[in-house]
Amino acid sequence: MFKLKNEFLLPPLKLGYTTGDGKVNNRYFDFYNQRSKNIGAVTLEPLYLDKGLRELPTQLGIDSDDKIKGLAELVSLIHKNGAKVIAHLNHPGRMVNPKIPGNFHWSSTDAACENGGAKPQAMNREMMDTVIQLFIDTAQRAEKSGFDFVELQFGLGYLMAQFLSPAVNNRTDEYNGSLNNRAKFPVEVFDAVKKAIRIPIITRISGDEMIPNGFHLGEMQQFVKTLENHGAAAIHVSAGSACSTPPWFFQHMFVPKGKTWELAAKIKEVVSVPVISVGQINSFDDIKSLKEKYNVDYIAVGRAIVADPNFTGKYLGEIEGDIRPCLACSDGCLGNVKKGNGLKCLVNPTVNTGLPTLQKAETIKNIAIIGAGLSGMEAAITLKRRGHSVNLFEKNKLGGQFIYAPMTPKKRSMQTLIPFYQKELKNNKIDVIYKEVTANDIGSKYDAVIFATGAVPSIPPINGLNNFYWAEILLINNLPENKKILIIGGGLTGVDIATALLPKGNKVIIVKRTTDFGEDMEMISKTLSLKMMKEMGTVFSDKTHIKKIDGKTVYAERDGEKIKFNDIDIIVISTGMKSYIPFHTKTEADIYFIGDANKVRKAEEAINDAYKLALKL
């Protein structure tokens, strides 16, 4: 039986916090301790079944008995906080990370993932029996470690789904053909685990593979009835495949919110066991919709609880305060995992940074912060919560450069961050003084002055470059239609601007001195943005140096060859940024620089910069 104290659970988020030994350490205790106090159940990150089956070099393991002690201690901590604990067991099959030495790749097929990866071995009966035994052994270790449930991964493009999917399974034996045949091996795994342990089993599926020749909802409705008949305690419904449809797999902000909820509702129609819904659930309105429209049993909240560990507590009224919003951007979480840093968060500077908890300041200071972008607002709020007196100066609008972030077509989810900070400023009674600050305003009034003045565009010295836009072209009154536009600079900003201009009927040419357009973007955003640009006729010109502009003609050199762009209506500059320090002041106050005023970087670093400084003052 699957029953929790409330309707919320944490799904299996990849953290990657081990030192490479696969064992629990303090980073796991810190992360899960914060997120297990107002929730029904916590699913630990996917636990590798064998050292040769890792998706991350720093993934948590359950492959040997020496892992039991650490897992048991972590489970015990979560139990003390009132939540149950789920062991997520997954064999990646051909999705095993090919960059990790010693990894091996087995599958229903000998075809590699179309998105890249190693060529797998098509499994024979002996391999299949080995996999079954792996699931039995690891499920028994989970039970010994005190887990309340085991969750078997049957979806998202991993091994069991590689058997289920008609797009992947090309076998010629009894394990291919009809759904019953393709489901035969997953059911064998389920039955073996069910026989080997006493704790209930959850099965995670993709309600739809989101590829034309993959499996779809109708087959999954049949499959879950089989799982229920064999004793599944709950069905956890996601969508997509790590191989074929990663945006659906990661529930990226570029995919429509609500599709996975709809799939879960359709699965619920055919089974009597509880159904768990997941996917971009990051607001109280989402929860209301899930309950009223989709009649869900349980709600898996992932990245929203990374961004705000008290998300469910605030919803349930157990904790006061506004939620720090998840932007569904995947930049701080997925981006840092892929970089090998372990999961972090763009909006929450306490995730996996090792920074101490906020304490009241021993000495109260009078502090001026110049600039109310993300770093300025974060610093102001944290300093005020520590007891300091804060004046926050801003000459324009709150939010700085981040006001442009939600203006591209697929990034509307980012529009929740600035309103959150605005509420926090009001709740903490922070004075926002709207004026352009001069050295005279600082005088000797303050103990510390923090420059959070951001950055300004770095304008290249191009002959004839007189009239141009930067990101302000995205403002509704500036956004052109049916124009021929040249974007100089092909990094994150240039690509984002292009994706906003194209739907307005504009013809876009984007030039870059190097070859990697969108080089500083999160990978899924980059892939989908460039795909959209190509489909909408964007002209990409790499290895291109702009030499001169004469009216509507732009002269350039590409890879040593002289070229020109004719009939250009508008030029956009996105060739980088440089720190902006509006003035220098002689004062006895301590002077600090944060965010882009310190060093031009991304929003995550700007927020971290501010929080770290605020803890020290």
Side-chain angles (χ1 to χ4, degrees), residues 29 102 115 123 247 312 340 391 432 447 453 479 496:
F29 283 105
N115 285 356
M123 293 166 63
T312 55
N391 285 150
V432 181
D447 301 303
T453 44
L479 200 59
D496 271 357

Side-chain angles (χ1 to χ4, degrees), residues 135-137 139-140 143 190-198:
F135 275 102
I136 290 171
D137 292 343
Q140 289 176 335
E143 189 169 35
F190 181 92
D191 287 345
V193 174
K194 184 78 169 62
K195 186 177 178 181
I197 59 174
R198 296 182 299 275

Side-chain angles (χ1 to χ4, degrees), residues 474-491:
L474 300 176
L475 295 172
I476 192 164
N477 292 333
N478 293 341
L479 200 59
E481 296 184 11
N482 303 313
K483 300 292 184 182
K484 189 173 182 181
I485 300 171
L486 176 68
I487 301 175
I488 302 174

Side-chain angles (χ1 to χ4, degrees), residues 196-272:
I197 59 174
R198 296 182 299 275
I199 57 178
I201 301 172
I202 307 162
T203 52
R204 196 175 204 208
I205 66 162
S206 290
D208 194 301
E209 227 175 351
M210 298 297 179
I211 51 175
N213 54 347
F215 58 72
H216 303 296
L217 177 62
E219 285 197 331
M220 286 300 98
Q221 286 178 315
Q222 296 176 53
F223 179 54
V224 295
K225 285 191 281 188
T226 300
L227 292 174
E228 180 182 26
N229 291 337
H230 282 250
I235 311 293
H236 187 171
V237 183
S238 188
S241 161
C243 171
S244 309
T245 50
W248 284 101
F249 172 89
F250 291 111
Q251 283 298 298
H252 193 270
M253 61 182 170
F254 277 43
V255 302
K257 179 184 285 196
K259 180 63 178 177
T260 51
W261 313 348
E262 178 187 326
L263 293 170
K266 294 293 184 182
I267 293 295
K268 181 175 166 61
E269 291 175 3
V270 300
V271 293
S272 58

